[in-house]
Amino acid sequence: MLASRNIIKRTGFTLKRSNAKFNIINSSFTSTKRYILTDASLINKNRFFEELNVINESLNGTLRVIKMNPSKGNDNLFLTTENLDLLHENLTTFLTSPVCECVIVNSVVEGETFSSGINPQELKNLVSLDQENRVRESIQFLKYPYKIASDLLNAKKPVVFVYNGKSESTINSLGNLASLKISTEYAQWSMNQLQNGLLPDLATTAILPKLTTVGGTNGQLGIYLLMTGDTLSGEDAYLSGISTHYIPYDAVDDAILRLSDCNFYKNKAYLKLEALTLNTEILNKNTKRGVVNSDAIDFLKKENYKIYNRIALEQYSSALEEFAQPVNSINRNYKYKYSKEALQVIEYGFDILNTENLNNDLVYKDIINRLSKIVAYNGGSEFNIEWNAAHKQFARETLDKLANVSDALLQIATRMIVHNSQSTDFKQVLANDQLLSAEFISNNTLLNNINNKNDEIVPGEKIMSLLKVTGNKKQNFGSAEISGFNKNMLELGLIKESELKKLLKKDGFKKLSSKDQLLERIEHLTHYGGKTSNHRYLKSLVFDRCLNQNNGNLTWKTIVEKKSTVAATPIEPVNNSDDLPAEPKIDTELDLEATLEQFEKKNDEQK
């Protein structure tokens, strides 16, 4: 790497301990220095060994970089309460700073561990604590991850997560909420909470199925990744929709520096001038006797905010796209982790988001039965697809992975997925997940199951009561609302199968007669990033598997079970009466303190 590329102007931040907390001293009180970074210093594992688990730096005045640091006693970079506190404090400071325009979350040691998430053993140790200490420690586990998630969900400026090493569970749940995600060839991404005996909380069950690109139009790949804990490479993560950009490791520093040229706040001022004429016209029409209709003012504020956010986010995404490369740019023999047959198994086996499952407490058994049907298939006409040896092998491997998770956790996780798919507000999902987590860490049976699979345990009535769905109609999957900069993040990166299926029904797409015509039309849709890999991705993973050419028109292929020859787990029909069980009332605003007070009160009563 050339030295000229590595001369970075950085403003140091000083961390001081005050009142048992770390406070960030404003950068205006520190001196500006120039540093020369070399490859040797970047990969030196002991570079910041004496420092805190979370450190930060400033780049070119407008960018703030938060780095996860594997310091003493925490080589795996577990998210302890101490570094969660630091991560939250850094993130909150930068998101509210009038100077900072973009926040980057990265690792100190590129290519090594980014974070292993929450340490399962620390949660399990809660069982052995006395009541007072257990309540105090439990509150810490409930407090900081949800505060960080709330900050990310409500961010009013872009947050970029860089997957440049091993990352697991909780840190990836938080990364799902970031506006932009970069993966490199060193990334090893996994959502392995269930395999460790933990819940996939922090709105993961709602967001991940909406992020994934292939494997079905109902988020089946996201559900599969949640249930199996599979590890994805940086290339796989990009093609799967986990990251919005694939950028080789050597170009990441330059890509991050490029973001400082976006000047969002300057562009925002320019956009205000552009919108002035239109806004004035609307206000004039809604003014009577010199008084402006308040509804018109609120409407303009919301609409202008949406426009600013969308344009700015696309600008940052385009800046990163300048450094993006095709997924086979480093490894010319790269192949996607999941074959066509594997994706077909995932599409059929994990298609659980339907009305029949809204209040089915045994959704996970539906998945197991579907996979078992593939394994037992001996030909016939019950499916519109012939399950071959490759299909059966992948189905067997998936069943083996599910067998490593206790039935109780599979039951809770699938109920969370179905329940949260109905929500139209991620804030409400986050609030509900926090209540579930409070119940989870209060349950000794579930805590003792951590790293010790036990199929005899049951979820508990309280947890299952929080996962009841009222009503009997499936809402539009993918309709959840996101505020701030994350409002448009679901449209970044590669086009999703669900979006492609909708496009085929729109004017301009209905009469396309070939896959090449469709590919050319999609490439001209500017709001889809990831153009560097679109051709390869669409042709190899989507078109051949999902599209039929009938009578000169393109139609969508769906795996259909015509009739059943293998007994399936009975699915209870949704109650159509008016006496549906009442869903727990949850404030859509994430009230962390209220939840923690409720948790403390409950434990005081038990004491």
Side-chain angles (χ1 to χ4, degrees):
M1 187 180 293
L2 296 176
S4 59
R5 285 180 53 189
N6 295 309
I7 299 177
I8 302 174
K9 185 177 180 181
R10 301 196 287 179
T11 303
F13 281 83
T14 304
L15 290 172
K16 292 186 177 181
R17 182 179 290 276
S18 175
N19 297 325
K21 287 189 176 181
F22 291 95
N23 296 318
I24 300 175
I25 308 302
N26 192 289
S27 60
S28 60
F29 295 100
T30 61
S31 60
T32 301
K33 299 180 180 179
R34 284 184 176 271
Y35 295 87
I36 297 180
L37 301 183
T38 65
D39 284 347
S41 65
L42 284 174
I43 63 175
N44 182 2
K45 296 182 181 180
N46 297 318
R47 180 182 172 205
F48 294 108
F49 201 66
E50 299 295 332
E51 297 195 33
L52 300 168
N53 287 111
V54 179
I55 60 177
N56 63 67
E57 60 188 6
S58 172
L59 300 182
N60 285 358
T62 59
L63 299 185
R64 299 294 184 268
V65 182
I66 301 172
K67 292 194 173 185
M68 308 298 293
N69 181 37
S71 59
K72 277 187 176 180
N74 193 7
D75 292 344
N76 290 321
L77 244 179
F78 285 118
L79 291 175
T80 63
T81 53
E82 180 185 26
N83 57 36
L84 279 169
D85 184 9
L86 275 174
L87 178 59
H88 169 253
E89 191 164 356
N90 278 262
L91 191 62
T92 302
T93 300
F94 298 150
L95 288 177
T96 56
S97 167
V99 178
C100 173
E101 293 188 0
C102 179
V103 181
I104 316 294
V105 181
N106 198 356
S107 55
V108 166
V109 185
E110 282 80 352
E112 296 294 327
T113 300
F114 181 19
S115 173
S116 298
I118 296 292
N119 188 346
Q121 191 58 44
E122 286 193 7
L123 275 179
K124 190 171 185 177
N125 291 342
L126 292 175
V127 176
S128 61
L129 298 178
D130 60 73
Q131 187 72 9
E132 183 177 349
N133 286 322
R134 178 169 180 171
V135 171
R136 184 180 66 252
E137 292 298 319
S138 297
I139 288 175
Q140 298 304 309
F141 279 113
L142 288 171
K143 182 178 180 181
Y144 293 115
Y146 282 89
K147 281 192 172 184
I148 295 170
S150 182
D151 287 343
L152 291 169
L153 199 60
N154 296 299
K156 295 183 179 180
K157 58 187 69 172
V159 178
V160 183
F161 262 62
V162 182
Y163 297 123
N164 197 21
K166 181 181 178 182
S167 61
E168 298 178 346
S169 64
T170 308
I171 195 68
N172 292 334
S173 294
L174 296 173
N176 289 339
L177 296 165
S179 322
L180 298 161
K181 279 86 69 176
I182 298 171
S183 62
T184 75
E185 68 271 27
Y186 292 115
Q188 298 177 55
W189 183 98
S190 66
M191 197 66 70
N192 58 358
Q193 287 97 321
L194 292 177
Q195 285 64 38
N196 291 326
L198 305 177
L199 290 184
D201 59 346
L202 296 170
T204 302
T205 53
I207 296 175
L208 189 58
K210 293 176 175 62
L211 289 178
T212 48
T213 52
V214 293
T217 58
N218 280 332
Q220 290 98 312
L221 178 59
I223 297 171
Y224 168 85
L225 293 171
L226 278 170
M227 303 289 286
T228 62
D230 269 12
T231 299
L232 301 181
S233 67
E235 296 88 345
D236 294 333
Y238 171 65
L239 291 182
S240 300
I242 304 302
S243 65
T244 55
H245 298 79
Y246 173 72
I247 301 178
Y249 154 68
D250 284 342
V252 168
D253 287 345
D254 287 343
I256 291 175
L257 281 175
R258 174 68 178 85
L259 295 178
S260 64
D261 298 329
C262 290
N263 294 322
F264 165 64
Y265 287 102
K266 291 182 180 178
N267 287 328
K268 189 173 181 180
Y270 172 75
L271 287 171
K272 285 183 178 180
L273 293 175
E274 289 288 302
L276 181 61
T277 302
L278 177 61
N279 290 350
T280 302
E281 181 181 343
I282 295 174
L283 289 175
N284 287 337
K285 291 181 179 179
N286 289 274
T287 302
K288 291 183 179 180
R289 298 179 181 178
V291 179
V292 181
N293 188 324
S294 60
D295 291 339
I297 296 176
D298 292 339
F299 170 78
L300 288 177
K301 285 181 179 179
K302 291 179 180 179
E303 290 304 308
N304 287 337
Y305 185 62
K306 291 178 184 178
I307 294 171
Y308 301 151
N309 285 344
R310 185 182 185 92
I311 293 177
L313 189 55
E314 288 181 354
Q315 186 181 33
Y316 280 97
S317 179
S318 297
L320 291 177
E321 193 68 29
E322 296 173 13
F323 300 87
Q325 295 293 324
V327 289
N328 63 336
S329 59
I330 295 176
N331 179 8
R332 296 295 179 183
N333 297 318
Y334 165 76
K335 289 185 178 180
Y336 185 56
K337 183 180 181 75
Y338 303 111
S339 64
K340 174 183 176 181
E341 290 81 7
L343 290 174
Q344 287 172 328
V345 171
I346 292 171
E347 178 183 350
Y348 171 71
F350 290 83
D351 189 13
I352 60 174
L353 296 178
N354 51 61
T355 52
E356 289 80 7
N357 281 334
L358 285 184
N359 279 319
N360 173 22
D361 286 343
L362 302 176
V363 180
Y364 75 100
K365 289 192 175 181
D366 186 31
I367 295 175
I368 293 173
N369 270 278
R370 285 169 175 255
L371 295 173
S372 298
K373 288 180 183 181
I374 296 174
V375 174
Y377 180 77
N378 287 318
S381 59
E382 64 265 33
F383 291 96
N384 65 340
I385 183 176
E386 292 287 331
W387 300 114
N388 59 31
H391 291 120
K392 294 182 179 183
Q393 179 63 26
F394 186 80
R396 288 191 196 95
E397 293 172 356
T398 304
L399 285 170
D400 290 341
K401 292 174 182 177
L402 296 178
N404 292 325
V405 182
S406 68
D407 288 355
L409 281 181
L410 290 176
Q411 184 176 356
I412 296 172
T414 49
R415 283 304 312 152
M416 290 174 71
I417 293 167
V418 174
H419 177 271
N420 291 337
S421 72
Q422 301 301 298
S423 178
T424 57
D425 189 345
F426 283 163
K427 292 180 183 178
Q428 184 173 355
V429 173
L430 204 58
N432 194 66
D433 277 5
Q434 191 186 34
L435 291 176
L436 279 172
S437 297
E439 289 298 325
F440 179 83
I441 63 178
S442 300
N443 189 317
N444 284 351
T445 303
L446 291 174
L447 289 183
N448 282 323
N449 182 62
I450 293 176
N451 293 330
N452 182 30
K453 177 177 175 286
N454 181 2
D455 284 330
E456 301 300 321
I457 64 174
V458 294
E461 292 183 7
K462 181 61 176 177
I463 286 180
M464 297 307 292
S465 69
L466 292 171
L467 297 172
K468 292 292 182 183
V469 178
T470 58
N472 60 356
K473 290 185 178 180
K474 177 186 173 185
Q475 296 184 10
N476 182 27
F477 182 67
S479 63
E481 295 182 0
I482 317 174
S483 59
F485 259 83
N486 295 355
K487 184 75 178 178
N488 304 293
M489 72 175 183
L490 295 178
E491 291 185 356
L492 296 175
L494 295 169
I495 187 172
K496 300 171 178 58
E497 286 183 12
S498 56
E499 296 167 329
L500 184 59
K501 185 178 179 180
K502 291 177 182 177
L503 282 178
L504 290 177
K505 299 178 181 179
K506 292 186 175 182
D507 294 338
F509 288 86
K510 290 180 181 179
K511 297 182 179 180
L512 295 179
S513 58
S514 71
K515 297 174 184 178
D516 289 337
Q517 287 180 339
L518 177 60
L519 182 62
E520 183 180 355
R521 187 67 57 87
I522 292 172
E523 290 293 333
H524 284 87
L525 295 176
T526 56
H527 63 281
Y528 289 117
K531 300 177 183 62
T532 50
S533 294
N534 255 344
H535 279 80
R536 178 185 178 90
Y537 156 77
L538 287 170
K539 283 186 175 180
S540 63
L541 299 180
V542 181
F543 283 4
D544 292 341
R545 184 174 57 85
C546 300
L547 295 180
N548 276 324
Q549 197 161 346
N550 295 324
N551 300 322
N553 293 325
L554 295 175
T555 58
W556 196 264
K557 287 193 290 189
T558 303
I559 299 176
V560 178
E561 183 179 1
K562 299 178 182 178
K563 60 181 180 179
S564 178
T565 58
V566 180
T569 302
I571 299 177
E572 295 182 6
V574 178
N575 187 353
N576 292 321
S577 69
D578 294 329
D579 298 322
L580 288 167
E583 190 171 11
K585 186 177 181 181
I586 301 170
D587 192 348
T588 55
E589 291 297 324
L590 184 60
D591 193 346
L592 293 164
E593 300 304 327
T595 303
L596 296 176
E597 286 179 10
Q598 181 180 347
F599 180 79
E600 284 186 287
K601 182 178 179 182
K602 174 184 175 182
N603 282 277
D604 287 341
E605 291 173 353
Q606 292 178 350
K607 183 177 178 181

